[in-house]
Amino acid sequence: LSRIGDELYLEPTEKGLSLRAVNSSRSAFASFLFAPLFFQLYEPGGPAPDTDYFRCKVHMKSFLGVFRSLPTLEKSVGKCLILLKPRTSRLVLQLHCKYGVTKTHNLAFQECERLQAVFDTQRCSNCLCAPARVLADAVVHFPPTLAEVTLGAGPGGKISLRNYVEDEAEPSKTMVTELWLAEDEFQSVTVSPGSSITFCLKEFRGLLTFAEASNLLLTIHFDEPGRPVVFTLDDTVLEVHLVLATLSDLESSSLPPTTNGVSHLPTPADDLADDLESYMVALETSTCGGASGGPPSPTFPLRAPRSDPEEQEDEEDEDGAVPGTPPHKKFRSLFFGSVLTPGRPGLAPTQEVLAEDSDGEC
Amino acid sequence: MPFSAPPPASGEPYVLSASLDNARHLSSLLRAVHFQDHATCFATASGLRVTVEDAKCIQANAFIQAEIFQEFAVQEESVMFRINLSVLLDCLTIFGTSSLPGTSTALRMCYRGYGYPLMLFLEEGGVVTVCKINTQEPEELLDFDFCSTKVVNKIILQSEGLREAFAELDMTSEVLQITMSPDKPYFRLSTFGNAGSAHLDYPRDSDLMEAFHCNQTQTNRYKISLLKPSTKALALSCKVSIRTDAQGFLSLQYMIRNEDGQICFVEYYCCPDENVTEAEL
């Protein structure tokens, strides 16, 4: 989770304790749901039966600091007690160690709104399932600094992984790595041939490290380019979701018309002259190029040209939040059901969202 | 193997001369107190004491008794000089710091007296290095006036239990708060950093606790930056005694066993932090 965001969201629910994180550009979201059975004791609510479960967020670094040295933890810590104390605004983490020693950490937290990315695995037409090791072994071939990777379905049921190269990159200076995985390496493959998505590798690698260590099966749900890709890990006591925004495909003819009447090319940020210039070039030449130079990390455009009216509202709320973000790539944002900072006009819980969070499997 | 130094030209004997088969017996102890560039060396017939101080608040002493040396002779009642400890350590470890089994650096140390440099002869595998380190006027050392009769609380812990705790101290906290009490929490180390507060509790009946003599509940705070260097001494030691007096002065005594099984001591004295604010629990 620390590979994704700087803040850790803790949400106790009756289904278990959920730990979540989102990145600053809102293009990556992950949640780890630990079922009550995972714990020796799990008491999510306060004494009153109808009170809402308390949610909070803490600085990732502060939380990680408690569990600093894994080998030492394994050797010397017997059990860990986590207490949420709203009255003193403290998250208490108490480690019971060898020799009767007790380590108590009182972390400051902030109250927060529910953090939930909107996605629906049922709506994804493509689904892959494989032991995490297969994909971990595959991504090892890509340089550690590589930002994005393209996953595609090829002929004969083969799955390809290829590093994503920006269109304006010089052909003579770029190295392309492509590798193909046979269908039998996967536990199940349900893909439409020719489908492909491009997503950020950094967060994916983080998940793979966890999945490999826990020896779990990884399921990948994806749809068309631009719609988020959902990675899931399932276990009897743990449910993990990683939702990443994917690069939208400009040449796709299945784009619905935009609501604001602008052309099918996604609009770059209004406040970047560089983007405007390349946007004009793109309009003239009608090629899929247009991304301006800048940091390669995916951020989402301030306006989503293919958004439906409900989504548009979400986007407008985000506009105010990240005015200075240079949305250099065409990554779509993930639509969040609720806004994070209290005090902002939060979206009503009954608001119609495009897609509910669902536990649907492939 | 020890070898004799060339006789001084004027025939006058060295005020201090010592031989040590394994220079590591000295260098590792000196490293445990090396948190400032300069140290004061004080030699008597009983042995060598090296003192390092900082901020007029903290003092560390490394004791290497005469018995550790193969030869140790002090001609006057006591010999004292100030020396650059960083340079001294660099010379003592001139053949490298990695300890291959079977190899060790032999040391001969000679000092002619006030105004003369400290001479070091180091030999390993037939190669000899001669070092001359300038000495300086010794400065007045702090006297914490810490004696056993004034001790209010004392515990002796196995170092193993504290090592990890000290290594992982939250350095964003300005102070390390030490609570010693005949009642719960018995012995507690607390920090108050950016992330929040952290408390490390050691119960009196813990296996790590070798001795527990607490008469009064005391809570004292010490500047964490001053105490952090003591982690080195803790890492080397097998046992540590923690004592406080009525004024809150802290004495940490580390028992260190060297490669040959000989015992040496390092102690740290620290005065409590003046800026006392309401302790956060």
Side-chain angles (χ1 to χ4, degrees):
Chain A
L1 283 172
S2 70
R3 300 273 190 109
I4 294 170
D6 288 331
E7 290 179 316
L8 179 68
Y9 289 77
L10 284 116
E11 241 175 276
T13 68
E14 62 281 331
K15 284 204 220 148
L17 177 66
S18 182
L19 299 178
R20 300 169 185 204
V22 67
N23 71 352
S24 51
S25 52
R26 319 280 237 112
S27 57
F29 163 87
S31 88
F32 281 67
L33 178 66
F34 293 91
L37 276 176
F38 178 80
F39 305 95
Q40 263 187 333
L41 170 72
Y42 181 67
E43 272 167 22
D50 288 331
T51 49
D52 220 5
Y53 292 132
F54 197 82
R55 286 182 296 267
C56 71
K57 60 178 180 176
V58 293
H59 285 296
M60 191 69 74
K61 281 212 180 87
S62 313
F63 197 86
L64 286 177
V66 178
F67 302 99
R68 211 169 307 190
S69 161
L70 280 177
T72 328
L73 277 175
E74 274 171 41
K75 267 196 300 174
S76 58
V77 180
K79 58 179 180 176
C80 172
L81 173 68
I82 303 178
L83 286 171
L84 200 41
K85 290 189 172 176
R87 253 179 254 136
T88 50
S89 294
R90 288 287 178 268
L91 174 69
V92 181
L93 288 156
Q94 199 173 63
L95 300 171
H96 292 253
C97 316
K98 264 198 313 196
Y99 306 120
V101 177
T102 317
K103 253 197 234 186
T104 311
H105 292 259
N106 302 301
L107 303 179
F109 65 67
Q110 265 185 293
E111 273 188 59
C112 61
E113 292 295 314
R114 186 151 186 262
L115 175 72
Q116 180 61 62
V118 173
F119 59 94
D120 184 3
T121 51
Q122 304 278 33
R123 289 189 65 194
C124 293
S125 48
N126 303 298
C127 180
L128 292 168
C129 188
R133 182 196 42 82
V134 168
L135 288 147
D137 287 348
V139 302
V140 95
H141 296 279
F142 296 100
T145 49
L146 178 64
E148 291 102 22
V149 72
T150 304
L151 173 77
K158 292 213 187 90
I159 303 294
S160 76
L161 269 176
R162 177 180 215 267
N163 60 319
Y164 177 76
V165 179
E166 288 173 42
D167 307 302
E168 72 275 7
E170 277 192 43
S172 58
K173 287 192 181 161
T174 51
M175 178 173 83
V176 176
T177 308
E178 185 175 82
L179 77 103
W180 293 88
L181 294 164
E183 199 173 345
D184 57 16
E185 299 235 40
F186 293 84
Q187 235 204 24
S188 77
V189 176
T190 314
V191 293
S192 10
S195 58
S196 85
I197 44 155
T198 301
F199 54 88
C200 193
L201 192 51
K202 172 180 157 219
E203 287 103 4
F204 182 49
R205 271 196 230 259
L207 182 73
L208 279 178
T209 312
F210 176 83
E212 237 196 330
S214 355
N215 220 2
L216 293 169
L217 273 180
L218 174 70
T219 310
I220 308 176
H221 302 270
F222 63 99
D223 206 38
E224 49 189 39
R227 297 210 54 79
V229 54
V230 185
F231 302 91
T232 357
L233 294 171
D234 246 322
D235 180 78
T236 44
V237 288
L238 175 64
E239 207 180 284
V240 186
H241 291 287
L242 171 66
V243 188
L244 296 180
T246 62
L247 206 58
S248 55
D249 183 8
L250 303 166
E251 293 195 318
S252 167
S253 55
S254 62
L255 300 179
T258 56
T259 51
N260 55 11
V262 181
S263 80
H264 293 282
L265 289 171
T267 318
D270 295 324
D271 56 345
L272 277 193
D274 293 346
D275 265 11
L276 185 60
E277 202 179 300
S278 48
Y279 174 57
M280 298 303 290
V281 168
L283 272 182
E284 279 164 356
T285 60
S286 298
T287 61
C288 68
S292 59
S297 57
T299 56
F300 63 94
L302 292 183
R303 304 193 72 73
R306 289 185 291 150
S307 52
D308 292 324
E310 296 98 298
E311 297 169 14
Q312 191 77 28
E313 197 181 321
D314 279 13
E315 286 291 85
E316 274 163 15
D317 273 348
E318 305 314 325
D319 276 1
V322 283
T325 313
H328 140 74
K329 286 292 177 64
K330 298 162 288 296
F331 276 79
R332 300 295 303 284
S333 73
L334 302 172
F335 307 119
F336 287 80
S338 183
V339 174
L340 301 181
T341 37
R344 287 184 54 188
L347 300 174
T350 52
Q351 151 149 18
E352 190 190 349
V353 287
L354 185 68
E356 302 289 340
D357 176 31
S358 131
D359 292 335
E361 292 299 285
C362 177
Chain B
M1 55 173 210
F3 51 92
S4 45
S10 59
E12 145 198 327
Y14 286 110
V15 160
L16 163 68
S17 67
S19 297
L20 192 55
D21 281 352
N22 187 349
R24 268 198 302 278
H25 291 168
L26 180 60
S27 59
S28 58
L29 279 179
L30 293 183
R31 259 203 223 100
V33 299
H34 181 212
F35 55 87
Q36 287 283 286
D37 275 338
H38 286 86
T40 303
C41 295
F42 182 75
T44 63
S46 337
L48 182 67
R49 183 189 84 201
V50 178
T51 307
V52 178
E53 286 182 353
D54 188 15
K56 297 252 177 276
C57 287
I58 188 154
Q59 181 186 86
N61 296 294
F63 294 92
I64 309 102
Q65 20 331 0
E67 294 73 36
I68 306 282
F69 294 88
Q70 273 61 54
E71 196 192 307
F72 193 83
V74 178
Q75 296 307 322
E76 293 168 8
E77 209 179 287
S78 70
V79 172
M80 193 157 151
F81 54 83
R82 191 166 176 260
I83 196 165
N84 186 319
L85 184 57
S86 310
V87 173
L88 176 58
L89 271 169
D90 283 345
C91 295
L92 288 173
T93 56
I94 206 156
F95 287 102
T97 46
S98 62
S99 46
L100 292 167
T103 62
S104 59
T105 309
L107 165 74
R108 179 144 179 92
M109 201 160 63
C110 309
Y111 177 62
R112 278 227 261 175
Y114 183 80
Y116 287 92
L118 178 70
M119 303 275 289
L120 300 176
F121 299 85
L122 295 131
E123 184 265 334
E124 188 178 303
V127 179
V128 179
T129 307
V130 181
C131 308
K132 264 196 219 173
I133 309 174
N134 286 335
T135 58
Q136 289 134 37
E137 192 78 45
E139 282 180 355
E140 206 174 297
L141 295 175
L142 293 170
D143 180 9
F144 283 79
D145 191 26
F146 198 101
C147 59
S148 353
T149 49
K150 295 186 178 176
V151 170
V152 173
N153 289 322
K154 169 181 173 166
I155 66 168
I156 300 181
L157 273 174
Q158 281 175 27
S159 304
E160 183 198 336
L162 275 179
R163 255 178 236 144
E164 182 213 311
F166 263 76
E168 290 183 358
L169 277 180
D170 180 6
M171 294 310 288
T172 63
S173 167
E174 275 192 27
V175 296
L176 175 65
Q177 178 172 284
I178 302 181
T179 304
M180 292 168 82
S181 169
D183 311 307
K184 273 198 172 162
Y186 304 115
F187 178 58
R188 169 180 280 190
L189 298 172
S190 311
T191 52
F192 308 96
N194 295 340
S197 62
H199 304 288
L200 192 51
D201 293 346
Y202 292 82
R204 68 179 296 168
D205 55 359
S206 165
D207 285 343
L208 293 169
M209 202 68 85
E210 292 224 347
F212 188 87
H213 305 288
C214 288
N215 305 307
Q216 214 183 83
T217 301
Q218 275 188 313
T219 299
N220 290 296
R221 293 182 162 202
Y222 307 92
K223 281 208 162 46
I224 209 170
S225 52
L226 296 177
L227 279 182
K228 183 77 176 170
S230 68
T231 316
K232 273 188 259 187
L234 186 61
L236 285 174
S237 66
C238 46
K239 277 193 228 191
V240 58
S241 115
I242 303 169
R243 306 177 301 163
T244 49
D245 67 8
Q247 286 155 309
F249 281 76
L250 176 71
S251 149
L252 300 164
Q253 289 177 317
Y254 303 91
M255 184 169 110
I256 297 168
R257 211 178 280 270
N258 68 17
E259 287 164 28
D260 293 343
Q262 296 163 310
I263 307 269
C264 290
F265 285 93
V266 166
E267 67 189 7
Y268 273 73
Y269 289 111
C270 192
C271 45
D273 192 26
E274 295 292 306
N275 317 318
V276 181
T277 47
E278 202 50 46
E280 208 192 285
L281 284 172

